[in-house]
Amino acid sequence: MKKLLLGTALALGAACSAQADGTVPFKFVLGAGLTSGGDTLATVAYSDGSSDSIKGGNRAVFYLGGEFRVGELVSVQATIGYHTDRTKDAANGDVQFNRTPVDLLAYYHVT
């Protein structure tokens, strides 16, 4: 996963430097966030009587990508991310959920 994110960052950097003459505006997008909700995927019961659960839309998401200005009023943003959730560590292991969201968005600039 780390190699994929690093490769994407390097490719975007090369695209940005290759088009530095101003013909195609480009901006890097880098972000992180906290998410909440989603379906419960697994519930773990611990020997001390407590429990913990993994949800499909919980915890942290990190992403990077770029935004390309297509025209005067339209731009396109593409990002790839890493979304993760996990239970607390226990003596016999833990449960972890990871996914790699890929987003492609189009923006219409009103002004």
Side-chain angles (χ1 to χ4, degrees):
M1 180 64 205
K2 292 179 184 177
K3 290 180 183 179
L4 177 65
L5 290 175
L6 178 61
T8 304
L10 292 174
L12 290 173
C16 182
S17 63
Q19 299 172 355
D21 62 351
T23 58
V24 179
F26 176 83
K27 295 181 198 175
F28 277 107
V29 176
L30 176 67
L34 297 175
T35 60
S36 176
D39 295 332
T40 300
L41 302 175
T43 301
V44 179
Y46 298 106
S47 59
D48 65 358
S50 65
S51 66
D52 200 358
S53 64
I54 296 267
K55 292 192 175 191
N58 251 9
R59 287 284 168 102
V61 62
F62 307 96
Y63 58 90
L64 72 97
E67 182 177 321
F68 301 92
R69 192 75 181 232
V70 178
E72 190 173 316
L73 297 176
V74 178
S75 62
V76 176
Q77 183 183 81
T79 60
I80 185 166
Y82 180 68
H83 193 192
T84 184
D85 190 9
R86 68 182 299 160
T87 62
K88 64 183 180 181
D89 290 333
N92 59 347
D94 61 22
V95 177
Q96 188 171 354
F97 170 73
N98 300 312
R99 66 180 175 165
T100 306
V102 177
D103 296 316
L104 181 62
L105 303 168
Y107 294 104
Y108 181 77
H109 303 275
V110 178
T111 58

